[in-house]
Amino acid sequence: MQSGSVTTPFGRRPMTLALVKGQLDTTERSESKPVDKWKVFRDLCEAKDVFGLQDRSLAVLHALLSFYPDTELSDDNGLVVFPSNTQLSIRAHGIAGTTLRRHLGVLVEAGLIQRRDSPNGKRYAHRSRGGDIEDAFGFNLAPLRARAAELAGLAQQVAEERVRFKRAKEALTLCRRDVRKLISAAMEEGADGDWAEIEAMYVGLIARLPRAPRRHDVDAVLEDMRMLREEIVNVLEIQLKAEKTDGNAIQDGCHIQNSNPESIYELEPSSDKEQGETPELKPKRVTEPLKAFPLSMVLRACPQMADYAPGGRIDHWRDLMSAAIVVRSMLGVSPSAYQEACEIMGAENAAVAIACILERAGHITSAGGYLRDLTRKSARGEFGLGPMLMAAIRANAGDEKRSA
């Protein structure tokens, strides 16, 4: 059955079936407990965006409430007000008649007031000889009383969301400031690294913010900005530790020699292409482990991994590591190369590296050789997963824009 305009017992004017249902629902849940009309109005003002209300609609509702004689909405004096459009316009700061009727309709459709039409369509009241109102025709304020608790809850949620949004923006401002200072300091000090590329990543993150961002926009950029800051700090810390170690070695005149190299290194070619070349010493552990990144960020950078996970989805790190074993075999990475990566990087980070290689599989000639190269750089403290993840995120964002 399609919804349309029907004539109902509520009055002569056409009403949609949705409005009829709303009136019946209000009647069923109407509370006998009086509520402060101005508190309800303040709660609605706080939650106006939930209902899609404009300030003019609130001004019209404020005018309607001003015609109700008591501060509390209760059944004692009835809940129907019956001002004329001229009276309403005056109390709504001179709003035009057509605009007034439009916003009255908005309030009715939002389920905040109800029309109670008279037989001739006019607004008036029947009074007793003592002056008491016996019956009235106009606008029924019962929905406001019935939804008082709901509006209070919505207002609380909006207020809490405003606080969370404010704190997210403050956190993003501080993080942006930190990243900008770190990049500038690294450039001025001549630190090793592609700082122009890192600065471009920083500018790209800022550009992702729309002119009027919502909290989810700020949270998404803040998460990536924090990751970029941590990666920069990680790179700079590695360089500072390396400089300190080199300085101490030069000052002390030390010559470090491994008396038992076979206990730490093994002789093995780095890839299929290197079979027959001079074997290279391969470190099996490092003192600085790679930094771990949030799983959600890894999945955003490497969405293809979910296709190889049990059940076609990744909810935990163990799912990612299970998928990495399948992808390793598919890419032709030898078990020894992957085992070495796990020992040097850690099992989780090795799985992330496999995920990044999968995203760029079309551009990599030898996945096994590529992984071994990353493992060697990781052992020397020259490799971080952050830039690979950021590059994958940017590439996926570019693909989404092109497909859109």
Side-chain angles (χ1 to χ4, degrees):
M1 179 177 180
Q2 295 181 347
S3 62
S5 297
V6 295
T7 302
T8 73
F10 295 98
R12 297 190 308 157
R13 294 187 181 185
M15 297 182 66
T16 64
L17 295 179
L19 291 179
V20 175
K21 182 179 183 301
Q23 290 190 353
L24 293 174
D25 290 344
T26 299
T27 302
E28 291 176 0
R29 66 179 178 178
S30 181
E31 302 174 1
S32 58
K33 175 182 170 183
V35 296
D36 187 320
K37 64 180 182 180
W38 298 122
K39 182 183 183 304
V40 175
F41 179 74
R42 288 192 297 271
D43 289 339
L44 181 59
C45 288
E46 190 79 19
K48 65 178 182 178
D49 291 339
V50 177
F51 295 90
L53 297 179
Q54 300 177 359
D55 292 340
R56 284 292 185 90
S57 298
L58 294 174
V60 171
L61 180 59
H62 187 279
L64 280 174
L65 289 172
S66 70
F67 284 99
Y68 189 78
D70 293 338
T71 301
E72 291 187 332
L73 297 173
S74 67
D75 290 326
D76 294 341
N77 293 319
L79 290 169
V80 178
V81 292
F82 42 91
S84 66
N85 282 355
T86 301
Q87 293 172 314
L88 264 179
S89 177
I90 292 173
R91 294 203 186 181
H93 311 294
I95 190 172
T98 55
T99 306
L100 175 67
R101 287 189 290 273
R102 185 172 72 253
H103 287 288
L104 284 170
V106 169
L107 292 171
V108 172
E109 291 176 3
L112 300 170
I113 61 173
Q114 294 173 351
R115 297 184 188 272
R116 190 170 190 272
D117 290 340
S118 64
N120 63 5
K122 302 294 183 181
R123 302 173 200 149
Y124 59 86
H126 292 301
R127 296 180 182 272
S128 65
R129 291 185 177 182
D132 296 332
I133 297 176
E134 293 181 339
D135 200 7
F137 302 94
F139 293 102
N140 190 352
L141 303 176
L144 285 176
R145 187 189 65 175
R147 303 180 70 175
E150 175 193 352
L151 293 174
L154 289 173
Q156 180 66 23
Q157 292 176 16
V158 170
E160 292 174 354
E161 174 62 20
R162 185 182 297 115
V163 171
R164 287 193 292 266
F165 187 29
K166 179 182 178 182
R167 290 177 179 172
K169 289 193 294 185
E170 290 175 349
L172 178 58
T173 298
L174 293 174
C175 191
R176 286 176 56 181
R177 189 180 304 165
D178 291 344
V179 171
R180 179 68 270 175
K181 288 180 178 179
L182 287 169
I183 293 175
S184 298
M187 288 181 170
E188 292 173 1
E189 296 292 332
D192 293 337
D194 190 354
W195 297 106
E197 174 65 18
I198 293 176
E199 186 174 36
M201 293 165 59
Y202 166 77
V203 174
L205 288 176
I206 300 302
R208 280 171 46 189
L209 283 174
R211 180 172 298 181
R214 296 184 176 273
R215 186 168 70 90
H216 65 83
D217 298 320
V218 175
D219 285 342
V221 175
L222 175 59
E223 183 179 7
D224 291 345
M225 189 68 73
R226 282 174 171 165
M227 185 184 76
L228 180 59
R229 179 181 61 184
E230 291 170 359
E231 182 62 22
I232 293 173
V233 171
N234 190 39
V235 169
L236 294 177
E237 284 182 348
I238 290 174
Q239 292 189 30
L240 289 174
K241 290 179 180 178
E243 291 175 2
K244 183 177 179 181
T245 302
D246 293 343
N248 291 338
I250 293 173
Q251 182 177 359
D252 297 337
C254 298
H255 176 67
I256 302 174
Q257 182 176 359
N258 188 353
S259 60
N260 187 14
E262 293 183 359
S263 64
I264 301 178
Y265 303 98
E266 69 172 358
L267 300 176
E268 183 179 353
S270 61
S271 69
D272 295 336
K273 290 186 176 183
E274 296 170 345
Q275 301 290 339
E277 294 185 4
T278 303
E280 179 182 342
L281 293 181
K282 306 288 290 184
K284 295 298 291 183
R285 62 170 183 262
V286 292
T287 56
E288 278 298 321
L290 283 180
K291 182 174 182 55
F293 291 95
L295 179 60
S296 59
M297 191 166 300
V298 174
L299 297 180
R300 189 161 72 251
C302 309
Q304 296 184 53
M305 286 295 285
D307 297 335
Y308 303 92
R313 56 180 298 172
I314 295 176
D315 297 317
H316 306 283
W317 278 104
R318 63 176 177 271
D319 299 332
L320 180 67
M321 290 186 285
S322 298
I325 295 174
V326 177
V327 172
R328 172 203 68 73
S329 177
M330 183 193 72
L331 294 176
V333 177
S334 66
S336 62
Y338 186 61
Q339 178 63 29
E340 185 179 22
C342 291
E343 293 175 0
I344 297 296
M345 301 180 184
E348 292 85 355
N349 288 324
V352 174
I354 287 289
C356 292
I357 293 174
L358 175 64
E359 292 294 320
R360 301 190 66 246
H363 305 281
I364 298 175
T365 304
S366 172
Y370 190 78
L371 180 63
R372 288 187 183 277
D373 185 56
L374 295 182
T375 303
R376 287 197 302 271
K377 290 181 179 179
S378 176
R380 295 195 299 264
E382 299 174 355
F383 167 68
L385 289 168
M388 291 184 68
L389 290 172
M390 292 297 294
I393 290 174
R394 290 199 308 274
N396 290 335
D399 292 341
E400 290 175 0
K401 290 181 180 178
R402 286 190 292 271
S403 61

